[in-house]
Amino acid sequence: MNNTPASLPASQPEQLPRFAPGTQYIPGGQKNPKIHTVTDVYTTRNLAGELVSIKYVSEHDFLGQKLKGYDVADTTIARGLVKNVPGPGGNPFPVSA
């Protein structure tokens, strides 16, 4: 029997990333908060092809340099979403007031 990911049945529905690249948020717990922007989405799968985790890559300006975070959790972005962001990125879904 061939155990490739394509031949195994899907045991869970496919989970899509909640936030698209371009979403802006302000993480909590900072002395001088800065606006962070999601730039990429990393997904991890096991050998069976099941989605194990979703992490986000974000960047922000600090003293004229772009700093990147490669292990940003979904809840960090959800807690600090910036409302009414103009531009092509914006927020992929409306945020209630």
Side-chain angles (χ1 to χ4, degrees):
M1 182 173 153
N2 186 6
N3 285 333
T4 60
S7 67
L8 292 175
S11 62
Q12 66 183 12
E14 186 66 23
Q15 179 185 2
L16 299 175
R18 272 179 70 185
F19 304 105
T23 303
Q24 293 183 334
Y25 68 98
I26 299 174
Q30 293 181 343
K31 194 172 191 179
N32 298 315
K34 305 262 191 258
I35 293 180
H36 294 230
T37 304
V38 176
T39 57
D40 200 2
V41 180
Y42 288 164
T43 56
T44 304
R45 297 182 182 273
N46 61 13
L47 290 176
E50 300 167 344
L51 188 64
V52 175
S53 72
I54 298 174
K55 295 290 181 179
Y56 298 88
V57 178
S58 72
E59 66 179 26
H60 67 282
D61 288 326
F62 180 73
L63 297 175
Q65 299 179 22
K66 293 273 187 189
L67 295 181
K68 287 191 176 188
Y70 291 95
D71 194 22
V72 180
D74 184 65
T75 53
T76 302
I77 300 169
R79 286 176 32 206
L81 274 178
V82 176
K83 300 175 186 174
N84 301 324
V85 178
N91 291 329
F93 55 88
V95 179
S96 60

